[in-house]
Amino acid sequence: MRKSYGRNSVFNDFNLEILADSIAAVTGRNGCGKTTLLRIIATLVGFEGGVVEVSGVSLQLSGKVARALVSVGFPNQRGLFPNLKVGENLLALQSLGGGSDPAKCEFIRTMLGGMWDLWPHELSTGMRQMVHLSKTFLRHAEVYLFDEPFLSLDQVNVAKFYQMLSKLRADQATVIISTQAQDLGLLPAGTEIIHL
């Protein structure tokens, strides 16, 4: 696969295969293409050449089908309705994203605890990050993308994110995380590390 921004080549003849039902972490220096790779997989940005497939579906041929297979979480993303509490936001966004999974909803409700009943303006930066990770988790998908999930998370919320990853692993989902080198120690055992 090839990807560039103007004269700046991000990927040139880049090859990568991530096994299904696994957790992989993409790491590297700032600007090396970690987020760009996730955005390509999520069909949020295009690429110049090569083939990118998600669960055997070519992104070039059927981006709409591929997008249905992928759930994406980027840090500090927008998307919470200010007139709905956190739990109401998550339930509404889950129904918009392809239906409701009562077991996942109950898992998130229990994990978030008191955050479930807060208004978006009452959330700290770390709490907001946890809610956005929850949004990604709640969507039904085969591949889950988490860009810099450890940003602004304290140890309590890192442990909660681990619970999400454990649940996704038990559900046989594929998880791809982009992260900084200093956060590699926060990843679960068995995570495949990909250095860009």
Side-chain angles (χ1 to χ4, degrees):
M1 184 249 310
R2 290 186 308 281
K3 173 64 182 170
S4 60
Y5 291 104
R7 293 183 179 191
N8 181 26
S9 177
V10 179
F11 298 115
N12 190 18
D13 295 325
F14 179 74
N15 294 298
L16 174 66
E17 181 176 351
I18 297 172
L19 299 176
D21 308 338
S22 68
I23 299 177
V26 181
T27 188
R29 61 176 171 69
N30 289 340
C32 71
K34 300 181 297 289
T35 298
T36 297
L37 178 62
L38 295 189
R39 289 181 179 277
I40 289 170
I41 294 168
T43 69
L44 297 174
V45 297
F47 53 97
E48 286 81 44
V51 176
V52 177
E53 292 182 346
V54 173
S55 296
V57 176
S58 171
L59 298 185
Q60 300 93 314
L61 299 177
S62 186
K64 184 175 181 181
V65 172
R67 279 190 298 276
L69 299 172
V70 177
S71 185
V72 185
F74 290 100
N76 302 315
Q77 61 183 325
R78 307 244 185 262
L80 294 178
F81 301 108
N83 59 332
L84 298 176
K85 291 185 177 185
V86 166
E88 295 166 332
N89 262 287
L90 292 174
L91 293 174
L93 293 167
Q94 185 189 28
S95 66
L96 291 173
S100 179
D101 180 338
K104 274 188 164 183
C105 283
E106 189 54 36
F107 176 83
I108 290 296
R109 181 190 310 262
T110 302
M111 189 189 67
L112 291 180
M115 274 191 267
W116 186 265
D117 294 315
L118 294 178
W119 296 98
H121 72 271
E122 296 176 312
L123 298 173
S124 69
T125 302
M127 294 164 87
R128 185 173 294 276
Q129 174 72 341
M130 199 65 221
V131 170
H132 290 304
L133 294 172
S134 299
K135 281 174 34 181
T136 304
F137 171 84
L138 281 173
R139 188 162 179 268
H140 176 73
E142 292 184 28
V143 179
Y144 292 82
L145 307 176
F146 293 100
D147 188 33
E148 304 284 354
F150 301 110
L151 284 178
S152 305
L153 294 186
D154 59 17
Q155 290 179 336
V156 171
N157 284 322
V158 167
K160 290 178 180 181
F161 181 58
Y162 273 14
Q163 292 175 19
M164 280 189 217
L165 293 178
S166 296
K167 178 84 170 108
L168 291 173
R169 183 176 265 171
D171 291 346
Q172 298 182 325
T174 302
V175 177
I176 305 171
I177 299 168
S178 77
T179 192
Q180 299 293 324
Q182 68 266 18
D183 293 332
L184 290 177
L186 299 174
L187 295 168
T191 299
E192 177 186 2
I193 308 297
I194 300 159
H195 296 278
L196 295 184

